[in-house]
Amino acid sequence: MRIAVIGGGISGLVAAYRLRMLLGAAADILVLDRAERVGGILYTAELAGEPLDLGAEAFVGRRPEVPQLLREVGLETQLVTPAGLRPLVWSDGVAHPLPERTLMGVPSTAESMRGLVDAATLERIATEPQRTLAWEPGADIDVYRLVADRFGAQVAERSVDPLLGGVYAGSSRSIGVRAALPTLAAALDDGAPSLTHAVAVALPPPSDAPVFGGIRDGYQVLLEALAARSGAKFITAEPATRLARGQRGWVVDPIGAVDSVVLATPAPVTARLLGTVAPDAAAALSGIELSSSVLVALALPRDTALPQNSGILVATGEPLRAKAFTLSSRKWTHLAQRETAAVRVSFGKFGDATPLSWSDADLVTTAAADLSTVTGVPIEPLAAAVQRWPNGLAQYAPGHTDRIATIESAIAPIPGLALAGAYLHGVGVPACVASGTAAAHHIAATST
């Protein structure tokens, strides 16, 4: 049996690995990727002689997929958890503690916003339960419309936007409630009388368990383990140019005839490949927009007096060029043991890809200047690394869940075809692992 996995990001690598586990040594698995390396937007580079992730650097610890995968491939000792420090929010030229007990920045109480928003906004939050909430079950709107209407624009721009920017490289204006905050949408659908009540219902119970996890030596060790255990043939620097139904399976240019295909490509690429095979799915996929970003990693003298916080998020409307700072050597205990202090500085959001056009030197200079502004500390980089991510993250706009349902419904009857990727059911690494696993099980179940 010959299977093509198109796309060598984490979703595609997991699909290839799972297919090998499910189908055994006889399966001929080919992984095709347009880039010169596999891994997609997971990338571990070297900074001051040490490995550092320049894409995603953490995963949601409450989900089991990544720890389980690490155990399977013998990397359980690579699992690390953060030091437990809280991030700050830079708003109105001042660093504030990130509010606690919020749902992606949507507050459960007015008190949690004290100091971050003005008195009028605090009053608006406190009295929100007294105002009638109009919500149609099944509806979906952008997060900004909901939060600004009920709690005020400052909550959306100073509390919600910084967090959504980190997850989606977007904002509350580009992300839909139902896809980004499914538990909140469910509470509203169930008849919550106010947004305050819906947030209280949707919040997970308090827990001392780490929210995030990471990999000690970077995601590269997991990518390499998956590639090796998949036993696949990897064809890099070659895009898939055509997908068509064959006499007994599929034809994928440039690799030829195969029995089954997993498309683990970004939404626009998937739309192009499915244009004649599944036009309804392709039409729905073409409506998924992408955002671009840039990551600048700085190695600083170890004694640089950075705040005792995990990072600094930037509210909407601030004059800074950067959108977020991860104080990596504060956030991760294993990084604090290195000879230099590492900081990751993020640029770019949905609708603004201009930082991608800046030179590396300008990006490093800007990153250092903005970091100095928010910390009040002179910043003198010893080394730096720059990574651009053009069209790196899907935007989960209003109606996204319906769009994905349309795509999956159109694909379901087509034999020997499965989809995987960050545009489906979550942009985080655990969701991508889950999508690659589901795609592999679908192919294996329909091919034996």
Side-chain angles (χ1 to χ4, degrees):
M1 184 176 184
R2 196 168 193 244
I3 305 168
V5 177
I6 304 177
I10 185 66
S11 302
L13 289 177
V14 168
Y17 162 69
R18 294 287 185 213
L19 284 165
R20 178 64 66 203
M21 297 300 104
L22 291 165
L23 299 176
D28 183 12
I29 303 171
L30 300 94
V31 178
L32 180 68
D33 198 285
R34 61 184 177 180
E36 294 184 354
R37 63 168 185 86
V38 296
I41 61 171
L42 297 183
Y43 176 53
T44 307
E46 186 177 282
L47 180 69
E50 298 277 6
L52 188 75
D53 282 316
L54 300 188
E57 50 113 35
F59 55 84
V60 176
R62 286 190 293 267
R63 293 190 58 152
E65 291 90 349
V66 177
Q68 178 181 321
L69 192 60
L70 290 171
R71 287 192 296 271
E72 285 184 38
V73 300
L75 294 174
E76 59 267 33
T77 59
Q78 283 279 335
L79 179 63
V80 292
T81 55
L85 301 177
R86 295 280 297 171
L88 301 169
V89 178
W90 183 262
S91 176
D92 205 21
V94 178
H96 306 263
L98 182 73
E100 298 190 17
R101 294 299 292 164
T102 73
L103 192 68
M104 195 64 76
V106 185
S108 55
T109 66
E111 190 59 32
S112 68
M113 294 285 118
R114 188 171 298 279
L116 183 60
V117 300
D118 62 24
T121 301
L122 286 176
E123 178 68 12
R124 187 174 181 82
I125 301 168
T127 59
E128 189 268 339
Q130 301 170 22
R131 301 192 302 275
T132 301
L133 173 65
W135 177 267
E136 185 71 27
D140 197 11
I141 60 175
D142 63 74
V143 176
Y144 181 87
R145 284 176 59 194
L146 176 65
V147 175
D149 175 64
R150 302 302 297 180
F151 290 153
Q154 287 186 6
V155 174
E157 294 171 351
R158 300 181 182 185
S159 182
V160 180
D161 276 356
L163 290 167
L164 287 177
V167 176
Y168 298 99
S171 74
S172 58
R173 289 175 170 84
S174 66
I175 304 299
V177 172
R178 194 160 293 278
L181 301 167
T183 57
L184 181 65
L188 293 169
D189 288 347
D190 287 343
S194 66
L195 182 56
T196 301
H197 180 88
V199 172
V201 170
L203 276 171
S207 172
D208 293 331
V211 176
F212 298 107
I215 300 178
R216 180 181 301 277
D217 294 322
Y219 273 108
Q220 191 63 35
V221 297
L222 176 58
L223 300 175
E224 290 173 354
L226 291 171
R229 288 174 177 253
S230 73
K233 177 183 178 182
F234 288 87
I235 306 168
T236 56
E238 284 277 6
T241 56
R242 185 175 71 100
L243 176 66
R245 298 290 291 272
Q247 289 184 341
R248 291 187 297 175
W250 297 89
V251 176
V252 178
D253 290 341
I255 60 178
V258 296
D259 298 293
S260 300
V261 177
V262 174
L263 290 180
T265 44
V269 177
T270 308
R272 175 175 57 78
L273 293 172
L274 291 178
T276 58
V277 173
D280 290 345
L285 280 157
S286 65
I288 299 175
E289 298 186 277
L290 306 179
S291 63
S292 299
S293 60
V294 181
L295 194 287
V296 178
L298 304 176
L300 308 177
R302 186 173 181 176
D303 60 355
T304 302
L306 298 171
Q308 293 293 328
N309 298 92
S310 61
I312 305 167
L313 308 175
V314 179
T316 296
E318 294 299 306
L320 297 176
R321 281 81 35 109
K323 69 174 184 181
F325 309 83
T326 304
L327 307 180
S328 302
S329 297
R330 297 282 193 251
K331 182 175 181 178
W332 301 100
T333 303
H334 68 287
L335 296 183
Q337 299 168 3
R338 295 182 176 179
E339 293 302 314
T340 58
V343 177
R344 293 165 28 116
V345 185
S346 301
F347 296 86
K349 281 188 178 182
F350 178 65
D352 181 16
T354 54
L356 273 72
S357 66
W358 301 348
S359 69
D360 285 7
D362 285 346
L363 282 163
V364 171
T365 298
T366 301
D370 281 1
L371 180 60
S372 181
T373 296
V374 300
T375 61
V377 174
I379 298 299
E380 300 175 0
L382 302 173
V386 175
Q387 179 63 45
R388 292 168 176 81
W389 296 114
N391 298 321
L393 284 174
Q395 295 299 285
Y396 279 43
H400 185 80
T401 54
D402 289 341
R403 187 184 299 277
I404 297 306
T406 297
I407 294 165
E408 293 182 329
S409 177
I411 293 298
I414 303 176
L417 179 64
L419 306 182
Y423 65 86
L424 288 167
H425 300 289
V427 298
V429 175
C432 291
V433 172
S435 78
T437 298
H441 279 277
H442 177 77
I443 294 296
T446 57
S447 302
T448 56

